[in-house]
């Protein structure tokens, strides 16, 4: 009964589950329009409460919500020695605010993205359930409860993908395969860590951050392999190469609203888990056995962390190049998301690695660690907003185009849907880090972290990835919104802007994008409950370089003086552009047909070069380098196992003598393994 009489860690999941049940019951209504509106209201209200709850708790018990210490934990006892515990802590709230915020906007905007012949009931039923499972994952404080919540989350996500398998290209089953690989790897990792603790140690996540070093001294190999196996499911969820192959096909084959929640919110669970893993793995790499090889000082961080950071930076470049080569907007955004996730983990690697304090100058250690940590969190929020906005804008076009997402079947929607275009346009500006956009502020912190720590190679690779994002951003903007209409002008004249409700949501997201980019310090302090300000104060007291003026420049960005300067320059630039456009000679207003045809008759099958083969020369240059594909390597490996399985199956001859020889060989093999 305590679950219903006091604030507990299960309050948010219970509210979301209740909303899911009500949405399922409303699914019995025959009128699709009425049903969809009621389902949207119920689930959006539950998401809004979940968002309100987490903001209030993280902020210290404001707005009628309890303080973090007043949120009661929940323990489920399985046996006398085994139990699962969920507890609300700071990181839970920080990531839950992002997840619930994305959930609220995606649910509210869904009526603008679902076609009339599509049933939104599975979406309204399963999305709150997935958010509830995500929250339980964020609140798990031991590896057993983490494994349970992780698998519950993966199962609900699979149901969503199956319900909206749009292209039938096997995306849900590829996701299921990789989720199965992750589950087995996590279970094996937990078992090895349990053995390393001699069955007596704690499997608590925060306990392992302190005891991993002790376990490694006694059982170095068990802890190393256990920790590496534990990282596999986290890297799969964050779509980090070489565990990324499921993401493009999965995101590309589902509904835009589903992909919006997956990319903007669900993927952040991988970032959250990687953050915890890095702190646990640090104790293993610093153990007596591995400190000379994996934990040795290299440019101020452990060798293993530097190698991981380089691989992540390369992954960001690789996925960005793949993104602009895509012909489908869903696939383009999927690869874009993978590159942004690599940014976040790279920043966390630098932050946690520098916390070891290898460098003699502790001021540098504290600065890089703080910039990397808060930069990763802020970029997670930035990515959540601009990736969600890009998918939502695409979803609105998806509904009005009859379900099209390929660039050669879209074009010219900006003229008919100006507000939605502006939503997608600003999302891409944020992706490519244009000043005053949220993505600029978050990437700026990550760049500063790498530069201040003198990781110039990482900074250069991150900059290359950011430059490549201009290429795919232009393809998204031109292929969907500009260019020539591929459906004919008669059809385009029937396309209408979203409803007033959709316009209000779009404007809200546009404002959030600008506020997040113009006042990063204030927004970051708000979403982290003042943790940034506490870090600044502790650094100042320690005599570090993060004094107030430096923080304003590095973290607070343009929120005080610089923002005013940029705002004036931005306004002057816009006014100047308008004057040039209106007063320059030779300009005249033309109708839609003249604008896209240049007064020439439209030829059947003709398409704008920018939408089709504009990137052809670049694609031909980089195409040979993409022939070495990790997915092809996986396929080859699978064929080898298929051959081996067929060979083993051929032993089934029915002859007892063959079985005798096989048994004798097995006995000899076991004896050899026993001796060595």
């Amino acid at each position: 009964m305590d679950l219903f009489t006091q604030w507990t860690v299960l309050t948010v999941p219970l509210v979301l589950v209740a909303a899911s049940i009500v949405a399922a019951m409303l699914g019995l209504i025959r009128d699709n329009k009425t049903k969809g509106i009621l389902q949207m209201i119920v689930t959006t209200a539950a998401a809004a409460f979940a968002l309100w709850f987490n903001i209030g708790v993280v902020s210290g018990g404001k707005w009628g919500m309890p303080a973090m210490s007043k949120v009661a934990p929940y323990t489920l006892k399985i046996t006398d020695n085994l139990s699962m515990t969920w507890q609300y802590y700071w990181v839970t709230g920080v990531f839950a605010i992002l997840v619930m915020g994305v959930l609220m906007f995606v649910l509210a905007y869904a009526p603008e993205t679902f076609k009339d012949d599509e049933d939104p009931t599975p979406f309204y039923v399963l999305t709150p359930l997935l958010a509830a499972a995500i929250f339980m994952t964020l609140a798990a404080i031991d590896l057993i409860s983490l494994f349970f919540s992780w698998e519950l989350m993966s199962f609900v996500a699979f149901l969503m993908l199956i319900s909206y398998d749009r292209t039938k290209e096997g995306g849900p089953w590829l996701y299921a395969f990789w989720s199965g690989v992750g589950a087995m790897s996590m279970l094996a990792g937990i078992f090895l860590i349990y053995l390393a603790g001699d069955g007596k140690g704690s499997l608590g996540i925060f306990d392992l951050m302190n005891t991993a070093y002790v376990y490694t001294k006694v059982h170095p190999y068990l802890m190393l392999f256990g920790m590496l196996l534990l990282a596999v499911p986290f890297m799969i969820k964050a779509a980090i190469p070489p565990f990324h192959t499921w993401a493009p096909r999965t995101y590309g084959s589902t509904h835009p609203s589903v992909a919006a929640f997956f990319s903007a919110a669900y993927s952040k669970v991988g970032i959250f888990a990687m953050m915890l893993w890095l702190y646990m793995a640090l104790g293993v790499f610093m153990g007596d056995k591995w400190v000379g090889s994996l934990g040795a000082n290299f440019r101020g961080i452990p060798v293993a962390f530097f190698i991981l950071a380089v691989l992540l930076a390369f992954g960001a470049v690789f996925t960005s190049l793949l993104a602009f080569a895509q012909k489908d907007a869903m696939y383009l955004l999927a690869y874009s998301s993978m590159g942004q996730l690599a940014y976040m983990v790279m920043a966390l690697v630098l932050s946690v690695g520098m916390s070891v304090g290898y460098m003699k100058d502790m001021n540098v250690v504290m600065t890089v660690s703080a910039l990397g940590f808060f930069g990763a969190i802020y970029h997670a929020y930035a990515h959540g907003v601009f990736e969600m906005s890009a998918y939502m804008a695409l979803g609105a076009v998806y509904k009005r185009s009859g379900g099209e997402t390929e660039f050669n079947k879209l074009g010219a929607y900006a003229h008919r849907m100006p507000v939605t275009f502006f939503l997608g346009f600003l999302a891409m500006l944020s992706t490519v880090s244009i000043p005053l956009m949220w993505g600029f502020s978050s990437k700026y912190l990550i760049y500063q972290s790498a530069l201040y720590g003198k990781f110039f190679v990482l900074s250069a690779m991150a900059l290359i990835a950011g430059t490549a994002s201009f290429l795919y951003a232009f393809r998204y903007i031109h292929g969907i919104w500009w260019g020539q209409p591929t459906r004919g002008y008669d059809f385009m004249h029937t396309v209408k802007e979203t409803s007033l409700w959709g316009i209000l949501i779009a404007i809200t997201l546009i404002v959030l994008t600008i506020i997040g980019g113009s006042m990063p310090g204030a927004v970051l302090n708000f979403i982290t409950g003042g943790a940034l300000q506490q870090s600044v104060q502790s650094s100042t007291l320690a005599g570090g370089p993060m004094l107030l003026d430096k923080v304003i420049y590095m973290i607070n960005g343009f929120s005080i003086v610089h923002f005013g300067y940029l705002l004036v320059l931005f306004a002057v630039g816009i006014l100047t552009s308008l004057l040039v456009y209106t007063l320059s000679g030779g300009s005249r207003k033309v109708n839609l047909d003249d604008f896209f045809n240049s007064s020439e008759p439209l030829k059947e099958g003709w398409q704008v070069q920018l939408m089709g083969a504009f990137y052809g020369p670049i694609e031909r240059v980089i195409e040979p380098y993409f022939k070495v594909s990790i997915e092809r390597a996986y396929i080859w490996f699978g064929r080898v196992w298929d051959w081996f399985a067929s060979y083993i199956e051929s032993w089934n001859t029915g002859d007892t003598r063959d079985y005798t020889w096989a048994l004798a060989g097995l006995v000899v093999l076991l004896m050899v393994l026993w001796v060595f």
Side-chain angles (χ1 to χ4, degrees):
M1 294 299 295
D2 290 342
L3 294 176
F4 304 99
T5 58
Q6 67 176 356
W7 298 109
T8 75
V9 71
L10 294 185
T11 298
V12 168
L14 286 174
V15 171
L16 293 175
V17 170
S20 176
I21 294 173
V22 174
M25 296 174 64
L26 291 173
L28 300 175
I29 299 176
R30 293 185 177 181
D31 184 52
N32 288 332
K33 187 175 181 180
T34 303
K35 174 178 64 176
I37 293 175
L38 292 176
Q39 288 173 328
M40 184 271 291
I41 293 174
V42 170
T43 54
T44 303
F49 167 79
L51 178 62
W52 185 274
F53 176 88
N54 286 285
I55 292 178
V57 172
V58 172
S59 300
K62 296 182 180 179
W63 305 327
M65 294 297 106
M68 198 173 302
S69 60
K70 300 296 183 181
V71 180
Y74 179 77
T75 299
L76 179 63
K77 192 172 184 179
I78 303 175
T79 65
D80 292 338
N81 300 322
L82 184 63
S83 62
M84 296 187 294
T85 302
W86 292 268
Q87 181 176 331
Y88 198 104
Y89 54 101
W90 180 77
V91 178
T92 302
V94 170
F95 279 89
I97 291 172
L98 171 59
V99 173
M100 301 308 161
V102 171
L103 176 69
M104 182 182 69
F105 281 110
V106 169
L107 289 172
Y109 199 78
E112 306 295 340
T113 65
F114 277 91
K115 298 184 299 179
D116 296 335
D117 58 347
E118 290 179 322
D119 184 11
T121 297
F123 177 77
Y124 285 118
V125 172
L126 294 173
T127 309
L129 287 180
L130 179 56
I134 291 174
F135 185 88
M136 293 180 65
T137 302
L138 298 176
I141 64 170
D142 59 79
L143 294 180
I144 303 300
S145 57
L146 178 66
F147 176 77
F148 174 82
S149 304
W150 193 275
E151 294 312 306
L152 179 64
M153 179 180 64
S154 299
F155 177 70
V156 178
F158 174 70
L159 293 179
M160 286 187 66
L161 295 173
I162 283 292
S163 301
Y164 294 102
D165 187 10
R166 183 173 56 90
T167 62
K168 308 299 180 182
E169 295 178 351
W173 298 106
L174 190 59
Y175 168 83
F177 169 78
W178 278 108
S179 295
V181 171
M184 291 184 290
S185 182
M186 184 188 294
L187 198 58
I190 293 173
F191 179 69
L192 292 181
I193 294 172
Y194 177 77
L195 292 179
D198 295 326
K200 300 176 182 178
S202 171
L203 289 176
I205 295 173
F206 297 101
D207 293 336
L208 282 170
M209 293 180 185
N210 299 318
T211 59
Y213 177 82
V214 179
Y215 295 169
T216 304
K217 292 181 67 175
V218 182
H219 299 287
Y221 291 98
L222 284 179
M223 282 301 296
L224 178 62
F225 290 118
M227 200 59 65
L228 293 178
L229 287 172
L230 193 63
V232 171
F234 304 156
M235 298 181 75
I236 290 174
K237 202 67 69 183
I240 296 174
F243 305 105
H244 67 285
T245 56
W246 65 274
R249 196 176 304 172
T250 300
Y251 289 177
S253 64
T254 191
H255 189 277
S257 286
V258 176
F261 186 75
F262 270 61
S263 181
Y266 185 39
S267 62
K268 302 307 181 296
V269 183
I271 304 301
F272 161 82
M274 284 299 298
M275 178 188 298
L276 299 181
W277 181 84
L278 287 170
Y279 282 105
M280 290 187 290
L282 192 61
V284 176
F285 297 150
M286 299 306 296
D288 294 342
K289 177 69 177 178
W290 306 114
V291 68
S293 55
L294 299 175
N297 180 17
F298 188 85
R299 302 298 299 274
I301 62 175
V303 172
F305 277 45
F306 182 78
I307 294 174
L308 180 57
V310 172
L311 293 176
L312 289 164
F314 174 78
V317 174
F318 177 74
T319 52
S320 297
L321 292 175
L322 281 174
F324 88 86
Q326 302 305 307
K327 304 299 189 294
D328 189 294
M330 295 287 286
Y331 282 83
L332 181 148
L333 292 177
Y335 280 108
S336 168
S337 179
M338 291 160 54
Q340 305 303 323
L341 293 171
Y343 272 116
M344 301 171 208
V345 183
M346 185 190 75
L348 289 174
V349 169
L350 293 180
S351 174
V352 178
M354 289 295 291
S355 66
V356 178
Y358 271 128
M359 299 193 67
K360 295 180 180 180
D361 190 351
M362 286 303 297
N363 301 332
V364 175
V365 171
M366 296 174 68
T367 303
V368 175
S369 182
L371 288 173
F373 184 80
F374 288 110
I377 291 179
Y378 205 53
H379 195 52
Y381 274 80
H383 177 257
V385 173
F386 67 68
E387 197 76 11
M388 172 180 62
S389 300
Y391 270 113
M392 286 168 53
L394 175 61
V397 173
Y398 167 85
K399 177 179 181 177
R400 286 149 184 80
S401 65
E404 301 294 349
T405 59
E406 296 181 14
F407 292 123
N408 62 357
K409 298 179 181 178
L410 299 173
Y413 280 85
H415 186 84
R416 308 300 302 175
M417 305 172 66
V419 177
T420 307
F421 155 70
F422 202 56
L423 175 65
F425 181 68
L426 287 190
M428 287 295 106
L429 293 186
S430 189
T431 303
V432 301
S433 306
I434 297 297
L436 289 184
M437 299 295 106
W438 201 331
F440 169 79
S441 302
S442 57
K443 287 186 181 180
Y444 177 76
L445 297 183
I446 296 175
Y447 289 148
Q448 282 290 343
S449 176
L451 288 173
Y452 205 83
K454 297 183 179 179
F455 298 104
F456 300 119
V457 174
L458 298 180
S459 301
M461 296 181 73
L463 186 61
I464 292 172
T467 304
S469 64
F470 278 90
L471 299 175
Y472 65 73
F474 182 77
R475 170 159 274 176
Y476 174 91
I477 294 170
H478 189 277
I480 300 174
W481 307 103
W482 297 342
Q484 182 180 3
T486 58
R487 300 290 298 274
Y489 300 107
D490 292 337
F491 172 81
M492 292 304 299
H493 283 300
T494 65
V495 175
K496 297 180 180 179
E497 180 60 275
T498 59
S499 65
L500 178 61
W501 176 248
I503 291 175
L504 291 175
I505 295 174
I507 293 175
T508 302
L509 289 174
I510 290 171
V511 172
L512 281 177
T513 300
I514 297 176
I515 290 177
S518 59
M519 296 186 291
V523 176
L524 189 53
N525 263 316
F526 175 75
I527 62 181
T528 61
L532 170 61
Q533 192 63 32
Q534 295 173 15
S535 175
V536 172
Q537 292 173 356
S538 62
S539 299
T540 304
L541 292 174
M546 290 184 63
L547 301 175
L548 186 58
D549 57 342
K550 201 169 187 77
V551 173
I552 290 174
Y553 177 70
M554 279 188 171
I555 296 181
N556 233 30
F558 314 106
S559 59
I560 299 182
V561 179
H562 301 80
F563 171 60
Y565 292 151
L566 277 182
L567 187 61
V568 172
L569 290 175
F570 186 75
V572 171
I574 292 294
L575 290 176
T576 303
S577 300
L578 289 175
L579 288 175
V580 171
Y581 176 76
T582 55
L583 300 179
S584 61
S587 63
R588 65 184 181 88
K589 185 177 181 179
V590 298
N591 60 34
L592 180 65
D593 294 0
D594 283 344
F595 177 75
F596 288 111
N597 277 346
S598 299
S599 301
E600 296 180 0
L602 176 66
K603 298 179 181 180
E604 185 178 358
W606 183 85
Q607 62 182 12
V608 174
Q609 184 185 15
L610 293 175
M611 187 168 54
F614 180 74
Y615 289 130
I618 303 178
E619 292 174 8
R620 285 191 294 271
V621 171
I622 66 174
E623 185 179 7
Y625 300 100
F626 291 151
K627 290 183 178 180
V628 182
S629 169
I630 188 65
E631 189 168 0
R632 293 191 183 98
Y634 289 145
I635 294 173
W636 175 85
F637 188 70
R639 289 173 179 171
V640 170
W641 274 103
D642 181 63
W643 169 84
F644 181 72
S646 300
Y647 177 70
I648 297 297
E649 186 181 11
S650 67
W651 292 2
N652 185 20
T653 62
D655 193 333
T656 308
R657 292 173 296 180
D658 294 336
Y659 300 147
T660 303
W661 281 112
L663 180 59
L666 179 60
V667 170
V668 172
L669 177 61
L670 292 175
M671 292 176 64
V672 172
L673 293 175
W674 180 265
V675 170
F676 290 98

